[in-house]
Amino acid sequence: ILPLVSVNQILLLLLVLTVCAILYNKVHQVPLALRNETVDLESPEEMEEEIPVVICAAAGRMGAAVAAISSIYSNTEANVLFYIVGLKTTIPHIRKWIENSKLKEIKFKVVEFNPMVLKGKIRQDASRPELLQPLNFVRFYLPLLVQKHEKVIYLDDDVIVQGDIQELYNTKLAPGHAAAFSDDCDLPSTHEMIRSVGMQNTYMGFLDYRKQAIRDLGISPSTCSFNPGVIVANMTEWKHQRITKQLEKWMQRNVEENLYSSTLGGGVATSPMLIVFHGKYSSINPMWHIRHLGWSPDARYSEQFLQEAKLLHWNGRYKPWDYPSVHTDLWENWFIPDPSGKFKLTRPDS
């Protein structure tokens, strides 16, 4: 048996060692994130994926962007991050509108678009000057505006989303494709509308086939066109293929040679995309882009068809915040009045 003094000495030594160990850990404490411990935090795999949605807020039509954002936010549980793109002069207005309405709960970033990037790349055309607005070309510069995401949704402001935006985000892009669009020939139910109001749905309606540069592309004029008002884009492929540079090249060629103009079907923003993406894009589910609602003040779709649609697009001259226009009730469901009173709806009784 050890003498009592020895036992006491051993216990004292153990106590001293324990105190030293505690003090050492406090002084040399390893940050929690570097320790191999189980912590009560979500792992990256478990965290909900962020869905970036790019929408422009243009002067005179900010109510459109607000209604589009409202419809998306109200119809999804997904983790949506809105990139709201504007010019320097319009940004304070849209920020105030969001922060002083029920949209103050959304996650958003306001991004300023510098129109100087377009200098020398747009051919002036007096027939439809609204198509030359700088924000019409934001979709050409997606990687410059949205830098941390692999996949991005771009939407024109004149849309309403009735489905869950997660579905659109889940659109599969084929290997090597930088974007997915909606074919203009994809939905039989829209063909009657196209015939009735004389819309274009082939390359002939967008490019001037009298020009040698267009004929040299080797694209048949009867090739079905697509609409770039709804885009699901892969940023890695977009940058790898230098899509923005390609689009700028055709913009500059149009300035010099007048290869397409706003008197043709899609103005000056659709045509370069038709050239650059010909044969190299994936398809969006047709119900995720029901369009042409703004093409005529009279031609209408059936109410049942519109109820089934996931996304409605008032492309054309007749916008749902103006008069005349069709199916305005579906758009107004999502409109939030401007707290500042600057933006007002145009209605027959106003």
Side-chain angles (χ1 to χ4, degrees):
I1 297 171
L2 287 168
L4 187 59
V5 65
S6 299
V7 173
N8 285 340
Q9 285 173 335
I10 291 168
L11 290 172
L12 183 61
L13 180 62
L14 290 172
L15 181 62
V16 170
L17 289 171
T18 302
V19 171
C20 288
I22 291 168
L23 289 172
Y24 181 89
N25 278 337
K26 283 198 175 293
V27 173
H28 299 277
Q29 194 164 31
V30 181
L32 187 65
L34 301 181
R35 275 190 263 150
N36 189 19
E37 292 183 9
T38 302
V39 291
D40 189 22
L41 294 170
E42 288 181 307
S43 69
E45 292 75 28
E46 292 169 338
M47 287 174 71
E48 194 180 4
E49 187 174 11
E50 208 167 54
I51 298 178
V53 177
V54 176
I55 295 182
C56 296
R61 47 193 288 162
M62 274 186 212
V66 166
I69 292 166
S70 169
S71 70
I72 295 164
Y73 180 65
S74 302
N75 287 308
T76 188
E77 296 294 320
N79 180 21
V80 180
L81 173 59
F82 293 97
Y83 283 82
I84 303 169
V85 186
L87 302 179
K88 191 173 185 177
T89 52
T90 60
I91 282 174
H93 186 188
I94 192 69
R95 188 186 291 281
K96 186 176 178 184
W97 196 331
I98 289 168
E99 292 174 350
N100 290 280
S101 72
K102 65 181 182 181
L103 291 181
K104 61 179 178 287
E105 304 296 327
I106 70 171
K107 285 171 62 178
F108 73 101
K109 290 183 179 179
V110 176
V111 182
E112 182 184 339
F113 183 68
N114 184 354
M116 288 305 293
V117 300
L118 301 171
K119 191 174 181 182
K121 301 184 184 79
I122 301 176
R123 184 183 184 88
Q124 294 306 311
D125 194 318
S127 60
R128 287 193 67 187
E130 75 276 12
L131 295 176
L132 304 177
Q133 295 302 316
L135 295 181
N136 277 336
F137 302 92
V138 160
R139 70 197 93 187
F140 290 14
Y141 297 93
L142 293 177
L144 298 180
L145 301 165
V146 182
Q147 293 172 354
K148 67 170 186 170
H149 299 279
E150 167 74 8
K151 198 175 188 182
V152 173
I153 293 172
Y154 166 87
L155 299 177
D156 276 353
D157 59 1
D158 51 356
V159 306
I160 288 296
V161 173
Q162 301 186 139
D164 185 343
I165 199 75
Q166 180 79 55
E167 263 183 61
L168 180 61
Y169 186 74
N170 291 343
T171 299
K172 292 279 188 289
L173 272 67
H177 284 178
F181 304 100
S182 297
D183 280 315
D184 283 331
C185 314
D186 60 7
L187 208 57
S189 41
T190 66
H191 293 174
E192 187 178 333
M193 170 82 84
I194 288 168
R195 283 193 297 272
S196 69
V197 297
M199 279 179 290
Q200 301 291 342
N201 64 352
T202 66
Y203 274 57
M204 175 65 91
F206 295 87
L207 304 177
D208 188 347
Y209 275 84
R210 294 170 300 179
K211 300 294 170 67
Q212 189 61 44
I214 297 300
R215 294 198 299 273
D216 287 347
L217 291 169
I219 302 172
S220 167
S222 62
T223 301
C224 184
S225 52
F226 60 80
N227 185 297
V230 177
I231 307 172
V232 182
N234 178 314
M235 293 293 92
T236 302
E237 282 295 336
W238 193 291
K239 288 182 274 195
H240 175 68
Q241 297 178 33
R242 298 167 62 83
I243 297 293
T244 298
K245 289 291 181 193
Q246 292 188 58
L247 292 166
E248 287 183 328
K249 181 191 86 171
W250 283 102
M251 290 169 76
Q252 284 166 331
R253 287 199 68 175
N254 183 56
V255 169
E256 296 157 9
E257 304 173 51
N258 197 19
L259 304 175
Y260 50 86
S261 75
S262 55
T263 55
L264 294 171
V268 290
T270 297
S271 301
M273 298 198 93
L274 290 177
I275 295 170
V276 170
F277 285 100
H278 173 251
K280 294 186 291 186
Y281 66 91
S282 298
S283 294
I284 289 172
N285 179 332
M287 296 307 285
W288 267 100
H289 195 178
I290 302 303
R291 48 204 178 278
H292 313 316
L293 278 77
W295 205 267
S296 162
D298 305 307
R300 304 174 69 91
Y301 288 113
S302 78
E303 291 300 323
Q304 183 184 346
F305 175 64
L306 292 179
Q307 292 299 329
E308 294 168 0
K310 305 283 190 177
L311 182 148
L312 305 175
H313 187 184
W314 278 262
N315 59 311
R317 293 173 186 260
Y318 301 98
K319 303 300 186 187
W321 55 90
D322 277 336
Y323 181 83
S325 55
V326 295
H327 304 298
T328 52
D329 55 324
L330 294 173
W331 183 86
E332 274 193 60
N333 283 340
W334 306 107
F335 174 67
I336 298 170
D338 182 358
S340 74
K342 292 177 189 172
F343 181 94
K344 293 184 174 67
L345 301 182
T346 305
R347 294 294 180 255
D349 53 353
S350 63

